[in-house]
Amino acid sequence: MEETNLNQTIRCIVKLGGAAITCKNELEKINEENLETVSSHLRQAMNLGSCSTQVVGMDWSKRDAVSDISSSLCDFGDQCQFNVDFSRFVVVHGAGSFGHFQASKSGVHKGGLNQPLVKAGFVATRISVTTLNLEIVRALAREGIPSIGMSPYSCGWSTSERNVASADLSGVAKAIDSGFIPVLHGDAVLDERLGCTILSGDVIIRHLAEHLRPEYVVFLTDVSGVYDRPPTDPNAVLLREIAVDEDGKWSVVKPTPQSLNKQVEITVAAHDTTGGMVTKISEAAMIAKLGIDVYIVKAATSHSLRALRGELRHGIPDDWLGTVIRFSR
Amino acid sequence: MEETNLNQTIRCIVKLGGAAITCKNELEKINEENLETVSSHLRQAMNLGSCSTQVVGMDWSKRDAVSDISSSLCDFGDQCQFNVDFSRFVVVHGAGSFGHFQASKSGVHKGGLNQPLVKAGFVATRISVTTLNLEIVRALAREGIPSIGMSPYSCGWSTSERNVASADLSGVAKAIDSGFIPVLHGDAVLDERLGCTILSGDVIIRHLAEHLRPEYVVFLTDVSGVYDRPPTDPNAVLLREIAVDEDGKWSVVKPTPQSLNKQVEITVAAHDTTGGMVTKISEAAMIAKLGIDVYIVKAATSHSLRALRGELRHGIPDDWLGTVIRFSR
């Protein structure tokens, strides 16, 4: 695989979990409130060095009932001086209530592109996930973030038995070096063995982390982090720190194992075609193994904002709610 | 530039002109009626060998007021046997009333990505053109065409002083070989010299034609073809056949030069940042020089359907309205 050269290291790769930014039980419905807060948090996190608080939107398209956009453009004027120096982030989002339905109905993740239903499902899945991608790019752009949608399928990502077989990251690197924030997503892709499959956002994150080596990775989810059992269970305990060893094996450091009275369980959402928490923890462990801290935290909270800003890199405050996954020799 | 290998030759590259599929004087408004007819024509043209007339849509997303899509999926069933053997087409569309406003307001075509306004305009332009791309992919998918949106920016297209500098066509070739219909579009791209610029659909078409060598190319426009003066002029004469010589120079063959009482003029739309008819004819001439017939014809007419079906390849009927541009030794 081609080596990826960047002018400078990137600061953070952030995953917007499908469950955090969409209404998971309602077909193709965005959680507008969460998405707006997350976009604002991202702007604050990317804008660390700047004292500018003025937001100048970069989505100049029509919105719903608004047909005249000239008014929003007057803000720019000719002397327009808005901040576009954002620190280097990459955003990857999941599908949530976009794509999953189309993928599971047709079995795209199982392959078999020569079957008419699978081929139709492939097309339908891509339409659904790219619709979500466009909405997220627009939400970020409205916050003044120079976001650029980059569909993995179009960018040349493909798999072999669901493992990444090729991914031309030079386009992502070039976008970052040009000052843009690439926005990738879980996608339907071609698979050398299966014909096609679903490439999850978590697998994309791991691959990007491996090749772009960010300072830290943040997973924004719809729960506070990783629990010892399904978080809906009233006795569920939040795992605050997980250590990963050189073999990629992970163990709970905090709370101490003695205080946990049973083995760690993990939740798997019923219609999550890409594996839910199992995938997330093992992908996160693979990233931590590279020496990159991973924070799993609830989206649109003060805790996620702190994680995004990189405040946890020198120590985890006691009042921070979330899961840290890090390498320990 | 990497050589592009295809399993089989492709039949046709078709350009959906921005003016034909959008309402050019109304911001970001699709000409739904034209787009629907064009999509249906494309299905008929791609489905030549098939006697199947049943259309099974591949857009399973929510549409406007329709929130329950399960009904549309019942059509598939388990024994679903819909036709997915489409002949090999590539679709490229222009921007029309999408993108142009954002691009010209910020001067994206002139470059200068380090200027805040240009960077914002780059983001805004891409949002607008990818919105249109998604709508066109959905319209084609509703006709049962296995369409796949492929944004040139994401696919690695870039320019150097507005000429194509790199374009990884292997993704396009792979999509075609997998039985999909790639749908590309005019886009904002990075330019080695200028920082950024606008890559027009016409330039994309020429590059694709050169490397993929289709049997013929069709430009669907909002007028009947190329005229000797602005088509709004009541004395405008439709040029029915243009011959291109080995040097790429073109001359009108039909009607005979004697019958044209003045030199050929060409129209340039005032806010077409990519050059309008001038670009179109010279790009078309470059394609014809390769020995590939080019038909310029009004979208959503019986004439365009005949062109798309390849009926003109063995001779132009007298009752066909449009312009043929072909190589003549």
Side-chain angles (χ1 to χ4, degrees):
Chain A
M1 204 163 287
E2 197 187 340
E3 207 179 317
T4 309
N5 293 311
L6 282 163
N7 288 348
Q8 287 174 266
T9 56
I10 68 171
R11 208 169 106 214
C12 174
I13 298 179
V14 54
K15 165 79 186 286
L16 311 187
I21 47 162
T22 71
C23 303
K24 222 173 170 169
N25 297 317
E26 194 171 335
L27 179 73
E28 298 190 343
K29 186 159 171 58
I30 287 172
N31 185 330
E32 300 282 359
E33 202 183 326
N34 262 12
L35 179 57
E36 205 172 298
T37 308
V38 166
S39 302
S40 163
H41 283 179
L42 280 169
R43 176 180 51 77
Q44 294 171 54
M46 292 175 191
N47 250 335
L48 273 190
S50 160
C51 51
S52 156
T53 52
Q54 196 201 357
V55 173
V56 184
M58 297 185 181
D59 176 11
W60 305 350
S61 286
K62 271 198 311 199
R63 280 199 77 188
D64 306 330
V66 189
S67 64
D68 178 47
I69 62 159
S70 56
S71 57
S72 72
L73 272 168
C74 294
D75 302 344
F76 288 97
D78 286 335
Q79 292 80 31
C80 157
Q81 287 297 334
F82 49 101
N83 180 27
V84 285
D85 288 327
F86 287 87
S87 48
R88 301 155 73 85
F89 271 61
V90 177
V91 174
V92 181
H93 64 81
S97 57
F98 289 75
H100 275 306
F101 165 77
Q102 288 86 350
S104 50
K105 180 81 188 175
S106 56
V108 169
H109 51 295
K110 290 183 280 185
L113 204 49
N114 53 340
Q115 296 164 50
L117 181 62
V118 175
K119 177 173 280 184
F122 190 97
V123 169
T125 301
R126 293 212 72 245
I127 287 173
S128 188
V129 294
T130 53
T131 299
L132 176 62
N133 182 251
L134 184 56
E135 288 308 317
I136 290 174
V137 166
R138 291 183 67 174
L140 297 173
R142 283 195 293 274
E143 280 290 327
I145 297 171
S147 52
I148 292 280
M150 299 190 80
S151 253
Y153 176 91
S154 310
C155 294
W157 292 66
S158 65
T159 55
S160 180
E161 295 199 46
R162 298 197 181 91
N163 296 308
V164 175
S166 74
D168 181 9
L169 298 186
S170 64
V172 175
K174 210 177 285 179
I176 298 168
D177 283 339
S178 303
F180 294 115
I181 308 293
V183 184
L184 288 80
H185 59 87
D187 203 359
V189 296
L190 300 180
D191 185 286
E192 286 168 15
R193 295 293 179 89
L194 306 169
C196 64
T197 194
I198 297 295
L199 176 66
S200 80
D202 292 331
V203 173
I204 292 171
I205 291 261
R206 197 239 299 175
H207 192 83
L208 289 175
E210 213 170 291
H211 290 83
L212 302 180
R213 300 278 170 155
E215 294 173 26
Y216 55 99
V217 169
V218 181
F219 284 86
L220 301 179
T221 65
D222 62 339
V223 290
S224 288
V226 180
Y227 289 83
D228 66 337
R229 68 201 82 178
T232 44
D233 185 325
N235 295 318
V237 174
L238 179 66
L239 308 178
R240 290 171 174 271
E241 195 172 335
I242 292 173
V244 179
D245 71 14
E246 273 168 1
D247 302 324
K249 273 175 57 182
W250 54 276
S251 53
V252 178
V253 173
K254 200 178 161 188
T256 51
Q258 306 88 290
S259 70
L260 289 170
N261 53 4
K262 62 191 294 270
Q263 234 197 322
V264 171
E265 279 179 37
I266 34 180
T267 64
V268 181
H271 67 291
D272 187 340
T273 49
T274 56
M277 266 302 169
V278 187
T279 316
K280 198 178 305 305
I281 297 178
S282 58
E283 295 295 336
M286 300 284 270
I287 297 168
K289 224 185 85 181
L290 303 167
I292 300 165
D293 285 1
V294 177
Y295 312 115
I296 302 181
V297 58
K298 187 166 183 164
T301 62
S302 61
H303 307 287
S304 62
L305 178 57
R306 292 168 83 174
L308 289 170
R309 289 167 64 100
E311 288 178 20
L312 311 175
R313 303 190 55 222
H314 310 292
I316 310 295
D318 284 338
D319 64 346
W320 186 75
L321 267 188
T323 303
V324 183
I325 304 183
R326 55 162 61 121
F327 182 62
S328 88
R329 236 161 296 262
Chain B
M1 202 162 288
E2 198 187 337
E3 207 179 318
T4 309
N5 292 313
L6 282 162
N7 288 348
Q8 289 174 264
T9 56
I10 68 171
R11 207 169 108 212
C12 174
I13 298 179
V14 54
K15 165 79 185 290
L16 311 187
I21 48 163
T22 72
C23 304
K24 218 167 175 176
N25 297 318
E26 194 170 337
L27 179 73
E28 297 190 343
K29 186 159 173 55
I30 286 171
N31 185 331
E32 300 282 359
E33 200 184 325
N34 262 13
L35 180 56
E36 203 172 298
T37 307
V38 166
S39 301
S40 163
H41 283 179
L42 280 169
R43 176 181 51 76
Q44 293 172 56
M46 292 174 191
N47 251 332
L48 273 190
S50 159
C51 51
S52 157
T53 52
Q54 197 200 356
V55 174
V56 184
M58 297 185 180
D59 176 12
W60 305 350
S61 286
K62 270 198 312 199
R63 281 199 77 188
D64 305 329
V66 189
S67 64
D68 177 47
I69 62 159
S70 55
S71 56
S72 72
L73 271 169
C74 295
D75 302 344
F76 288 97
D78 286 334
Q79 293 80 29
C80 158
Q81 288 297 333
F82 48 102
N83 180 28
V84 284
D85 289 326
F86 286 86
S87 48
R88 302 155 74 84
F89 272 61
V90 177
V91 174
V92 181
H93 63 82
S97 57
F98 290 74
H100 276 305
F101 165 77
Q102 289 86 350
S104 50
K105 181 83 188 174
S106 57
V108 170
H109 52 294
K110 289 183 280 187
L113 204 50
N114 52 341
Q115 296 163 51
L117 181 62
V118 175
K119 180 175 278 184
F122 191 97
V123 170
T125 301
R126 292 212 72 244
I127 287 173
S128 188
V129 294
T130 52
T131 299
L132 176 61
N133 182 250
L134 185 56
E135 287 308 316
I136 290 174
V137 166
R138 292 184 68 174
L140 296 174
R142 282 196 293 276
E143 279 291 327
I145 297 171
S147 52
I148 293 280
M150 301 191 81
S151 253
Y153 177 93
S154 311
C155 294
W157 291 66
S158 65
T159 54
S160 180
E161 296 199 46
R162 300 200 179 90
N163 297 309
V164 175
S166 74
D168 181 7
L169 297 187
S170 64
V172 175
K174 212 179 283 179
I176 298 169
D177 282 340
S178 302
F180 295 115
I181 308 293
V183 184
L184 289 80
H185 59 87
D187 203 358
V189 297
L190 300 179
D191 185 287
E192 286 168 15
R193 296 291 180 91
L194 307 169
C196 64
T197 195
I198 298 294
L199 176 65
S200 79
D202 292 331
V203 174
I204 293 171
I205 292 260
R206 196 238 300 174
H207 193 83
L208 289 175
E210 214 170 289
H211 291 81
L212 302 180
R213 300 279 169 154
E215 294 174 27
Y216 54 99
V217 169
V218 180
F219 285 85
L220 301 178
T221 64
D222 62 339
V223 289
S224 287
V226 180
Y227 288 82
D228 66 338
R229 70 201 82 180
T232 44
D233 184 325
N235 295 319
V237 175
L238 179 66
L239 307 179
R240 292 175 172 265
E241 193 171 336
I242 292 173
V244 179
D245 70 15
E246 272 166 2
D247 302 323
K249 274 175 56 185
W250 53 275
S251 53
V252 179
V253 174
K254 199 176 161 187
T256 50
Q258 305 88 292
S259 68
L260 289 168
N261 52 5
K262 61 192 292 272
Q263 234 195 323
V264 170
E265 279 178 39
I266 35 180
T267 64
V268 181
H271 67 290
D272 186 340
T273 51
T274 54
M277 265 301 168
V278 187
T279 315
K280 198 177 303 307
I281 296 178
S282 58
E283 296 295 336
M286 299 285 269
I287 297 168
K289 223 184 88 181
L290 303 167
I292 300 165
D293 285 0
V294 178
Y295 311 115
I296 301 181
V297 58
K298 186 166 186 166
T301 61
S302 60
H303 307 288
S304 63
L305 179 57
R306 291 168 84 173
L308 289 169
R309 290 167 63 103
E311 288 179 20
L312 312 174
R313 301 190 58 225
H314 309 291
I316 311 297
D318 285 338
D319 63 347
W320 185 76
L321 267 187
T323 302
V324 184
I325 304 183
R326 55 161 63 121
F327 183 62
S328 87
R329 236 160 294 264

